[in-house]
């Protein structure tokens, strides 16, 4: 009999979660009912948004319930099926949760082909990470050739792809990241035009030096002080894309909002948030274009893979310590 390993939410954290926030349990897999399928999970996506799903507050998704499997996207293989849409041997992408196996109805799953791309790529450039970068930059940011684009958390999963897409579109791109090594990687590996090390440099001064004519598009993954500083450098009709605010996710007090928001008024600028799930009907469009860019050598996808569901907690912490390089995931 196949045994399942599941990571269950045991308490709602205050601030940064500790190891006791979750519990790894071993469970039996239920027999399939008509219409269901059994999926073996191969890779699980680890994302900053997972921290927000732990809070019992109104959001774009309901919070993970106490005693429930921790929510996560992933890719896996159908081992057994009792529906006509999927058959044993198919590989799929969807909401797996943090577990080794799951029984599910067929809705919400997409077939993927490991012969066309390695499975981890379907969680990075060809998965939610890539979709977030693609639609957030192109639909919300609307960059134009020759414009200056600034990206925060630029060495992370989404930020590194945002910067590369902006370069493909003919923009000048500046990335903000933590540490000299990451900043060097932005320029040497991903082709950014410049980088700011927020841990060792004065961000406002460097923004002025690297963006002397101002900023047209800012793709924000961090919020807080960096967002506030960028607002002082935006140009007329600038677009600020609110993708995330990782600097605020573990706050034990109210999130820090931008005090320089009147710059939006003065510069006739726009600041807009988005949720990638709203673009689900267009995922194929984005995957096809980014897949072509990868084949042409214009877009690189970097995966940071940790091994074993037992390593969930230390791997998860890497997101908030800035220790991941590219897209972070678990190999189950």
């Amino acid at each position: 009999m196949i045994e399942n390993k599941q990571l269950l939410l045991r308490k709602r954290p205050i601030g940064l979660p500790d190891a006791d926030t979750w519990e790894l349990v071993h469970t039996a897999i239920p027999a399939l009912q008509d219409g269901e399928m059994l999926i073996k999970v191969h890779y699980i996506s680890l994302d900053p948004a997972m921290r927000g799903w732990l809070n019992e507050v109104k959001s774009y998704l309901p919070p993970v319930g106490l005693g429930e499997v921790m929510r996560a996207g992933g890719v896996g293989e159908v081992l057994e099926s009792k529906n006509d849409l999927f058959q044993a041997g198919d590989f799929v992408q969807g909401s797996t949760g943090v577990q080794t196996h799951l029984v599910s109805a067929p809705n919400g799953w997409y077939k993927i082909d490991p012969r066309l791309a390695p499975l981890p790529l379907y969680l990075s450039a060809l998965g939610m990470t890539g979709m977030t970068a693609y639609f957030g930059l192109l639909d919300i940011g609307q960059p134009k050739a020759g414009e200056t684009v600034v990206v925060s958390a630029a060495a992370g999963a989404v930020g590194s792809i945002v910067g590369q897409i902006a370069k493909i579109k003919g923009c000048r791109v500046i990335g903000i990241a933590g540490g000299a090594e990451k900043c060097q990687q932005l320029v040497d590996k991903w082709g950014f035009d410049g980088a700011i090390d927020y841990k060792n440099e004065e961000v406002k001064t460097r923004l002025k030096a690297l963006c002397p004519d101002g900023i047209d598009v800012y793709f924000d993954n961090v919020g807080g002080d960096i967002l506030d500083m960028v607002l002082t450098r935006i140009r007329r009709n600038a677009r600020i894309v609110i993708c995330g605010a990782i600097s605020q996710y573990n706050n034990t007090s109210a999130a820090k909002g931008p005090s320089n928001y009147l710059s939006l008024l003065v510069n006739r600028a726009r600041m807009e948030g988005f949720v990638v799930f709203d673009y689900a009907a267009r995922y194929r469009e984005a995957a096809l274009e980014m897949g072509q860019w990868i084949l042409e050598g214009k877009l690189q996808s970097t995966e940071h893979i940790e091994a074993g569901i037992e390593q969930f907690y230390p791997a998860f912490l890497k997101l908030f310590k800035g220790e991941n390089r590219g897209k972070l995931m678990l190999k189950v």
Side-chain angles (χ1 to χ4, degrees):
M1 177 183 291
I2 301 174
E3 182 183 63
N4 194 11
K5 296 180 184 178
Q6 299 178 307
L7 194 77
L8 307 184
L9 180 64
R10 287 306 184 202
K11 67 178 183 180
R12 300 207 180 277
I14 298 173
L16 186 68
D18 58 31
D20 293 334
T21 300
W22 299 274
E23 179 186 6
L24 186 65
V25 300
H26 297 242
T27 61
I29 296 173
L32 290 189
Q33 303 298 313
D34 288 343
E36 293 181 332
M37 57 185 177
L38 172 62
I39 299 168
K40 174 180 171 53
V41 181
H42 284 257
Y43 293 92
I44 295 169
S45 177
L46 300 183
D47 302 285
M50 298 169 82
R51 176 61 186 86
W53 299 339
L54 303 178
N55 298 330
E56 198 166 15
V57 296
K58 183 180 179 181
S59 187
Y60 59 90
L61 287 175
V64 178
L66 293 176
E68 291 182 354
V69 175
M70 181 61 199
R71 181 185 295 134
V75 294
E77 179 183 0
V78 177
L79 298 183
E80 183 182 349
S81 178
K82 288 190 175 182
N83 69 71
D84 296 331
L85 297 177
F86 297 92
Q87 60 185 3
D90 286 342
F91 285 84
V92 293
Q93 174 189 39
S95 182
T96 60
V98 183
Q99 54 191 337
T100 58
H101 298 80
L102 73 153
V103 171
S104 174
N107 50 299
W109 295 94
Y110 302 89
K111 288 184 182 180
I112 57 177
D113 192 342
R115 297 170 299 180
L116 298 178
L119 287 178
L121 201 60
Y122 290 102
L123 291 181
S124 54
L126 300 182
M128 289 301 102
T129 296
M131 303 298 114
T132 300
Y134 183 95
F135 292 112
L137 179 65
L138 300 183
D139 275 51
I140 308 299
Q142 300 177 8
K144 303 173 184 65
E147 289 188 326
T148 295
V149 175
V150 173
V151 186
S152 61
V158 172
S160 60
I161 295 179
V162 168
Q164 292 178 82
I165 295 175
K167 289 298 297 181
I168 290 170
K169 296 299 180 179
C171 298
R172 183 171 178 272
V173 183
I174 305 299
I176 304 173
E181 181 185 348
K182 286 186 177 181
C183 287
Q184 196 67 43
Q185 186 178 42
L186 293 180
V187 176
D188 293 346
K189 181 174 182 178
W190 292 316
F192 283 58
D193 296 286
I196 299 171
D197 179 358
Y198 76 85
K199 291 184 176 180
N200 299 295
E201 296 180 303
E202 212 294 310
V203 174
K204 193 171 182 178
T205 300
R206 291 289 288 150
L207 282 171
K208 186 175 182 180
L210 292 174
C211 309
D213 298 321
I215 297 165
D216 298 289
V217 180
Y218 174 51
F219 195 102
D220 187 33
N221 292 300
V222 302
D225 291 333
I226 290 179
L227 169 60
D228 214 20
M229 285 183 274
V230 169
L231 286 174
T232 67
R233 299 297 306 163
I234 60 174
R235 299 184 67 191
R236 180 172 292 195
N237 300 128
R239 287 82 68 200
I240 293 88
V241 183
I242 303 299
C243 177
I246 196 169
S247 72
Q248 306 296 301
Y249 289 164
N250 292 305
N251 280 6
T252 55
S253 57
K256 181 178 181 179
S259 60
N260 293 318
Y261 76 94
L262 285 178
S263 182
L264 298 169
L265 184 157
V266 172
N267 291 288
R268 293 75 152 175
R270 171 169 54 85
M271 184 159 66
E272 183 176 349
F274 76 103
V275 175
V276 69
F277 304 136
D278 295 340
Y279 294 89
R282 295 175 56 197
Y283 286 170
R284 178 174 173 78
E285 164 199 330
L288 287 173
E289 185 160 30
M290 288 196 291
Q292 186 61 40
W293 290 336
I294 292 171
L295 288 174
E296 294 172 355
K298 297 178 180 179
L299 180 65
Q300 296 184 55
S301 181
T302 301
E303 291 81 39
H304 181 150
I305 301 174
E306 300 284 330
I309 196 169
E310 295 82 3
Q311 296 304 308
F312 170 83
Y313 181 65
F316 179 75
L317 288 184
K318 291 181 184 294
L319 293 168
F320 302 97
K321 294 179 177 180
E323 294 176 354
N324 59 303
R325 299 293 189 270
K327 174 60 190 167
L328 184 63
M329 64 186 76
L330 280 179
K331 186 179 189 301
V332 178

